[in-house]
Amino acid sequence: MVAPVHVWVAPAGAEPRAAAHTLLLELAGTLVRAPRLSHSPDGQPLVPGLAVSVSHTHQLVAVVASYGGPLGVDLEEAYPREVQALARRWFTAEELAWTNRQPDELIAFLQLWTAKEAVGKALGRGLRGAGLRRAMPLGGGVVESEPHLLVTYVPWSGAVLALAAPVCLTEIVVHHESPVSPVAGFSRLGTAGPRDRRASPTLDPPCARG
């Protein structure tokens, strides 16, 4: 039986990084005994016995864990912002054309951006090595250059959450504060309330150098 991928999302509070670490240990504690969190030299979170990944914005933190990996998660709040310059700089011609065809260009942009981040985390490289130029499956799916990885978008109100996981890990279990009706392909889904529209920590210029 294939182990599911567990996705937990919670408010970030005053210290998003600390909140993400606390939430990850809480999740890990449901899967292994006495989990210990450390980090690789590149800052990647490590929990013995699990594949894990974390992401946070000013308002939300997301953590994922599974007995199988690798895993990568990335989260972006969907508040209005100018993204066309970044899209023209980093996206492939096919990706750019796809975003321009979508009814909501911002959501389409964030889907591709979070997918690139999530895949980079799953590969253990982040966005180094031309990670932003790595072509993503449009709307989710198997990554052409990394066919062992599947990109899935976990529905979340007011945000885009991308998960990169092995193609064999097809069950996603999402833990949240307020239950909502399940959607096909997911055991549980999450909701979140209104958020402040502040600058994104992952779309600031230093994070977009590739």
Side-chain angles (χ1 to χ4, degrees), residues 32-48:
V32 297
R33 294 188 62 182
R36 302 185 311 277
L37 173 63
S38 62
H39 291 82
S40 71
D42 294 329
Q44 184 177 12
L46 304 171
V47 175

Side-chain angles (χ1 to χ4, degrees), residues 14 35 44 61 80 83-84 100 110 112 119 125 139 141 155 175 195 210:
Q44 184 177 12
V61 296
V83 296
Q84 279 299 314
N100 291 336
L110 292 177
L112 290 175
V119 169
R125 301 197 295 265
H175 176 84
R195 351 203 152 349

Side-chain angles (χ1 to χ4, degrees), residues 137-169:
L138 305 179
V142 175
V143 181
E144 183 176 0
S145 62
E146 306 289 342
H148 62 292
L149 289 177
L150 177 74
V151 171
T152 303
Y153 297 104
V154 178
W156 201 270
S157 176
V160 174
L161 195 164
L163 171 68
V167 293
C168 61
L169 298 180

Side-chain angles (χ1 to χ4, degrees), residues 3-6 31 49-52 64-69 71 169:
V5 180
H6 296 268
L31 302 175
L50 296 174
V52 300
V64 299
S66 180
Y67 294 117
L71 297 179
L169 298 180

Side-chain angles (χ1 to χ4, degrees), residues 52-64:
V52 300
S53 184
V54 305
S55 182
H56 62 81
T57 69
H58 289 294
Q59 302 297 312
L60 294 170
V61 296
V63 300
V64 299

